[in-house]
Amino acid sequence: MASSGRGAGLECNLGEAKEAVKRVDKLVLDEALLPHGWARDVVLSVDAEGWIVAVEEDGDTRGAERVAGIALPGMPNVHSHAHQRAMAGLAERSGPGPDSFWTWRELMYGNLAQLTPDDLETIATHLYVELLKAGYTAVGEFQYLHHDLDGSRYVQPAEMTLRTLEAARAAGIGITCLPVLYGQGDFGEPVSVGQKRFVCDLDGFLDLVDRVDQAVDGDADASSGVAPHSLRAVPPDMLAALIETRPQGPVHIHAAEQEREVDACRSFLGQTPVAWLLAEMPIDERWGLIHCTHMTPREIGELAASGAVAGLCPTTEANLGDGIFAAERYLDAGGRFAIGSDSNSSHCPVEELRWLEYAQRLTTRRRNVLAGAPASSVGRRLFDAATTGGGQALGRRIGALARDHRADLIVLDHRDPLFAGRKGDSVLDTWLFAGNRPVVRHVMVGGRWQIRDGHHADEIPIARSYRSVLERLQA
């Protein structure tokens, strides 16, 4: 949004939004999607720490705040590179030769050459406000920009990851910090100039992770995990040592995003990335394999059976020309998935879920491919799977309006003509496949309203700072 030219009405809304960032202890939801289905007049009780302690249909409404609209669990975003938001739209001009993921990567490296910790915090804060407004209530920040401009260590080794943590706290979004282990250039090649800010040895990385663990300790809206970047960037012995040292918590890794990566992995390790991981690593429910665009039928079945989550980022995968995930076969095999905004060219869960289904339609030349059963709602299946898988992948009790979960929810504007006459699952189908304008009215994270009537209390100064950083970086 623009940071100037605002009227008195908006100033009033922002004042109300600022007043609303207080802990709420009891809500009455006019209409809500609960784990067992749709319900009306749902009383949601929240404790002082932001946990849902009771969910009652037709319960005692005395002393409760009534919330008009359509309440849904907040959507987890399992894969974000916040710094890449600053270059969104700047890589859409053709180069001297064929453009690809690999030419885009060099442009991305170049955009990091000036990025300071202050810049990253400003960019991430603005991005996280945008994510909230779109309906995300938690983010997994896959952060690999660890070192200073010349590649030297910061005095605080976890400086950049901690800046994204502070950005999440400022915006009010939940976060799983995923500092990235980057140990080498592509499959044993020397580290390039563009990668000098990423690379750590294992001891240095574990020190960084310890500092992140300490920073999130005691914060119910923040957690941490580890993210070995990929098999091309982490040698097998280093990956094995990391997993042995870190037996709990989320583990996220890029896998099989590009065909060139798959071919190089086969040459270097003798197997494709997903096959190697399934054979050599203890892949289970705490793992998130990001992209998995290029898998064999056998790999699809084995990954689905492992209990791991495939982190899908359809808008980024399309933007970078990665390919199309075999979603129908994977879901039919019982596979779990979540969505992420990745490069943050898009920051909207609607677009991710819509294009997950649309890509299947384009390749199969059928409609409602991912519905899963006759007379079933595509929107409902995708939304339920993404919220459940997202909570698992981020290692947090989120993604459902249920007892012992965080009070993370969004409210769609029932007054919008888009929803006229819509009930139940048709609301989700309409939102995901017929809407092109913002309809998320309110957003709550950990029992606090962070978005009211489409606005964040601090959106004006946050946007102003963001514009200043982008103007300087692009000058």
Side-chain angles (χ1 to χ4, degrees):
M1 290 190 175
S3 59
S4 61
R6 296 175 179 268
L10 178 55
E11 296 296 343
C12 180
N13 285 340
L14 292 179
E16 292 172 358
K18 191 176 288 290
E19 179 65 19
V21 185
K22 295 178 180 178
R23 190 76 70 193
V24 175
D25 58 12
K26 196 172 185 180
L27 298 170
V28 182
L29 306 174
D30 278 358
E31 185 176 6
L33 179 58
L34 304 181
H36 67 270
W38 293 93
R40 298 192 64 83
D41 295 321
V42 175
V43 179
L44 205 71
S45 298
V46 182
D47 71 13
E49 301 302 318
W51 295 95
I52 299 173
V53 294
V55 181
E56 304 168 279
E57 297 177 45
D58 299 316
D60 183 1
T61 63
R62 288 175 296 181
E65 174 188 341
R66 179 166 286 276
V67 181
I70 305 159
L72 306 171
M75 179 62 69
N77 176 343
V78 300
H79 191 66
S80 166
H81 303 299
H83 65 267
Q84 291 180 17
R85 180 59 180 167
M87 65 173 287
L90 296 181
E92 310 307 321
R93 182 184 294 267
S94 59
D99 288 317
S100 67
F101 167 89
W102 307 100
T103 58
W104 170 88
R105 189 177 73 159
E106 292 305 314
L107 290 172
M108 187 268 290
Y109 288 169
N111 273 273
L112 299 177
Q114 304 176 69
L115 204 69
T116 68
D118 286 346
D119 295 339
L120 177 60
E121 185 171 349
T122 297
I123 293 165
T125 303
H126 187 262
L127 169 66
Y128 295 160
V129 169
E130 291 182 300
L131 295 180
L132 284 167
K133 288 184 175 185
Y136 288 117
T137 52
V139 63
E141 187 56 45
F142 197 100
Q143 207 295 115
Y144 50 80
L145 189 61
H146 297 314
H147 306 313
D148 209 340
L149 303 181
D150 61 358
S152 61
R153 285 166 60 98
Y154 289 109
V155 174
Q156 163 56 273
E159 179 73 32
M160 296 298 252
T161 298
L162 296 181
R163 291 303 189 105
T164 63
L165 174 61
E166 289 308 307
R169 287 170 171 163
I173 198 169
I175 188 169
T176 297
C177 294
L178 295 165
V180 173
L181 175 59
Y182 211 105
Q184 64 180 8
D186 292 352
F187 290 112
E189 294 180 6
V191 174
S192 71
V193 172
Q195 296 165 338
K196 66 184 179 182
R197 301 188 69 180
F198 314 160
V199 175
C200 294
D201 60 29
L202 184 60
D203 288 341
F205 179 71
L206 292 174
D207 176 48
L208 187 160
V209 169
D210 284 344
R211 293 166 186 263
V212 176
D213 289 342
Q214 293 169 22
V216 302
D217 187 37
D219 186 343
D221 290 315
S223 61
S224 60
V226 292
H229 181 275
S230 58
L231 291 181
R232 69 176 186 265
V234 182
D237 56 347
M238 180 180 280
L239 178 57
L242 172 64
I243 301 307
E244 182 179 359
T245 305
R246 183 99 177 175
Q248 293 91 28
V251 181
H252 288 203
I253 185 170
H254 290 130
E257 180 178 5
Q258 282 277 320
E259 288 180 315
R260 179 175 132 184
E261 171 203 352
V262 173
D263 292 342
C265 187
R266 188 183 288 112
S267 296
F268 193 75
L269 295 176
Q271 292 177 290
T272 64
V274 174
W276 190 93
L277 287 166
L278 289 166
E280 303 296 334
M281 290 290 112
I283 304 298
D284 58 15
E285 290 82 359
R286 75 188 185 111
W287 284 73
L289 273 63
I290 309 302
H291 302 304
C292 297
T293 313
H294 304 284
M295 291 194 292
T296 66
R298 178 176 179 176
E299 291 167 3
I300 291 168
E302 290 184 358
L303 181 61
S306 74
V309 173
L312 308 180
C313 311
T315 62
T316 294
E317 289 151 8
N319 184 276
L320 300 182
D322 291 342
I324 296 173
F325 180 79
E328 183 179 20
R329 184 189 293 266
Y330 180 74
L331 294 186
D332 286 350
R336 308 174 190 185
F337 81 89
I339 57 170
S341 59
D342 195 353
S343 66
N344 292 299
S345 292
S346 170
H347 48 74
C348 180
V350 167
E351 200 168 4
E352 303 301 338
L353 292 175
R354 181 182 296 174
W355 279 102
L356 178 59
E357 166 69 19
Y358 278 2
Q360 309 307 306
R361 296 186 187 191
L362 290 169
T363 54
T364 65
R365 299 176 181 84
R366 293 186 283 118
R367 298 190 70 254
N368 302 323
V369 178
L370 301 180
S376 296
S377 160
V378 179
R380 175 68 182 278
R381 189 188 192 201
L382 294 182
F383 188 86
D384 284 352
T387 50
T388 301
Q392 176 185 320
L394 295 183
R396 301 184 57 228
R397 297 279 290 178
I398 56 176
L401 300 182
R403 184 172 177 168
D404 297 327
H405 284 63
R406 295 299 287 165
D408 290 5
L409 62 90
I410 67 174
V411 181
L412 305 184
D413 191 350
H414 66 295
R415 304 165 303 179
D416 194 294
L418 183 70
F419 297 121
R422 305 303 201 266
K423 299 293 182 183
D425 292 348
S426 65
V427 169
L428 288 174
D429 289 333
T430 301
W431 183 40
L432 297 183
F433 295 103
N436 285 304
R437 59 180 180 271
V439 293
V440 175
R441 186 179 179 191
H442 310 308
V443 179
M444 173 177 282
V445 178
R448 296 181 185 273
W449 291 116
Q450 299 296 345
I451 303 295
R452 294 307 301 260
D453 289 318
H455 296 290
H456 187 279
D458 296 319
E459 64 184 42
I460 292 177
I462 287 171
R464 186 181 298 121
S465 296
Y466 177 73
R467 288 187 62 180
S468 178
V469 167
L470 260 61
E471 287 168 356
R472 180 178 58 77
L473 290 177
Q474 295 170 28

